[in-house]
Each structure stands twice: as C-alpha cells, then as structure tokens.
Amino acid sequence: MALTHAAKRGQLDAVLLVDEQGMLVAQSDTGLDLTMLAAVTPIVGRGKAIPRVRRNGEARDMSVDVLELMGEVIYVAALGGNY
C-alpha cells in the first residue's frame, strides 16, 4: 500500500523493491509484469548498466537507489515520472 501511494504521489509507473539476486521483494500495484525489470535492477544499482526502458514504444526513466536494511542490500527502483 505504501509503495502504491508513493508511486501515485510521484506520478510513477511503478515502484519496486529488489534483492541482490534480482528477485522482486515488493512492488506498487500495477498491471505491469516487473520480473524482467527486477532482474536488471541490481545491475543498474551497482552502476554496471544504464537503464533503457520502453513502455508502449515510449522511453521511460528509471532510477535505482541502494539501501542496507539489517545487513541486507535492497534496491529501490522507480519507473517513469519526471525529474
């Protein structure tokens, strides 16, 4: 619920939390399948790739932040929105 509210407030397509292996931990409510995006999120978060995301042929921004919670690394990704 909190991720969905954050996505709506930020006018984002989706917000997702991903573990170090690229597994989706949590996501905002969306009709999008985020499994492939989750898989590359750690790579983007580590600075090893630049995200090039398209939705319906239109480029979408993606930003990733890295958090450490209780010794675990979690990647928070935001898809869409405006800077």
Side-chain angles (χ1 to χ4, degrees), residues 40-46 51 62-66 74-78 83:
V40 299
T41 296
I43 300 166
V44 172
R46 293 179 194 125
M62 178 184 172
S63 60
V64 178
D65 200 4
V66 183
I74 299 291
Y75 297 89
V76 181
Y83 279 114

Side-chain angles (χ1 to χ4, degrees), residues 48-65:
K48 302 289 184 183
I50 297 170
R52 305 235 190 265
V53 181
R54 292 197 167 278
R55 181 174 179 211
N56 298 326
E58 188 177 309
R60 305 302 291 163
D61 288 328
M62 178 184 172
S63 60
V64 178
D65 200 4

Side-chain angles (χ1 to χ4, degrees), residues 17-25 38 42 46 72-75:
L17 301 179
V18 179
D19 70 9
E20 287 188 280
Q21 288 74 40
M23 299 299 295
L24 191 59
V25 174
R46 293 179 194 125
E72 297 290 327
V73 175
I74 299 291
Y75 297 89

